[in-house]
Amino acid sequence: MDAEFDLDRVIRKVPGFPKPGILFYDITGILADPQAFRYCVDRIVEHCRRLKAQGIAAIEARGFVFAAPAAYLLKAPLILVRKRGKLPGPTHRARFALEYGEDEIEVHRSDVRPGERILLVDDLIATGGTLRAACGLLEQGGAAVAGIFAVVGLPFLNYDSVLAQYPVKTLIQYHGE
Ligand code: AMP
């Protein structure tokens, strides 16, 4: 394993984006720094091997960016979890609560194979609601969630309780403003 990379140095913190009261953790600085990006992708690869996951499922859209190179390196299937209405084939669908209102995510039924162990990947875990719904989608298809990986975790939003059934790994945690 490489030495720890100081991800905090390349994550921009933007107060009031996309709306007042939110401190936005911008991961584009990771993508623009090849060493930082490699560090993150290598950790996903390592984690996937450790959990003996057979495939990776990624959450639209920033999850795709981190998961795709890891799946390529592992020669593992990559499953896209997308916002409602984006996938053309038959899907599993899950509805979940947002701060205001609800949202829906989908996955192609044909991509979820019963009995397969899947690592779920996103850029950041806030409340954990999106990842929780994504776990439900994979389970609807008979797959097993081997674990959840995100580059950034905001544990002060209590995602641990929402995702309590699943092993969660994050590379850097922020503890509120
Ligand atoms: P949640 O379902 O609350 O865990 O929200 C997770 C999704 O919203 C992730 O895909 C993040 O990309 C995005 N997100 C939520 N809060 C933030 C934040 N403070 N900074 C950056 N992205 C966020």
Side-chain angles (χ1 to χ4, degrees):
M1 177 170 151
D2 336 324
E4 292 272 298
F5 188 96
D6 180 15
L7 289 173
D8 182 53
R9 187 168 61 72
V10 291
I11 296 173
R12 186 184 293 119
K13 290 88 184 170
V14 189
F17 184 87
K19 50 187 177 189
I22 306 275
L23 179 60
F24 189 81
Y25 295 89
D26 174 26
I27 55 82
T28 59
I30 297 178
L31 307 179
D33 182 317
Q35 228 192 316
F37 187 43
R38 274 185 76 102
Y39 174 78
C40 295
V41 173
D42 288 348
R43 297 295 76 74
I44 298 172
V45 167
E46 224 172 62
H47 198 58
C48 202
R49 289 193 173 124
R50 188 176 305 132
L51 294 174
K52 298 189 171 25
Q54 296 153 300
I56 297 183
I59 312 282
E60 185 170 359
R62 280 163 284 178
F64 294 177
V65 179
F66 290 97
Y72 173 84
L73 288 169
L74 287 159
K75 299 188 175 71
L78 177 64
I79 302 169
L80 301 188
V81 176
R82 299 212 62 183
K83 310 225 163 93
R84 171 188 147 152
K86 304 276 187 185
L87 293 170
T91 60
H92 297 293
R93 193 176 286 182
R95 195 183 278 270
F96 62 101
L98 293 173
E99 201 178 345
Y100 299 103
E102 320 191 291
D103 210 349
E104 258 184 319
I105 51 173
E106 293 182 287
V107 68
H108 269 146
R109 284 171 182 259
S110 54
D111 290 348
V112 184
R113 281 175 286 272
E116 205 162 63
R117 287 172 59 76
I118 302 296
L119 176 69
L120 255 167
V121 173
D122 203 356
D123 66 325
L124 177 144
I125 316 178
T127 65
T130 312
L131 279 161
R132 174 68 193 258
C135 291
L137 284 183
L138 296 173
E139 288 164 353
Q140 269 184 60
V145 177
I148 292 171
F149 181 102
V151 175
V152 182
L154 307 182
F156 66 95
L157 296 175
N158 298 318
Y159 62 73
D160 277 349
S161 58
V162 173
L163 301 172
Q165 313 166 234
Y166 308 100
V168 176
K169 161 99 179 152
T170 55
L171 296 181
I172 184 167
Q173 300 81 37
Y174 290 100
H175 299 280
E177 289 110 271

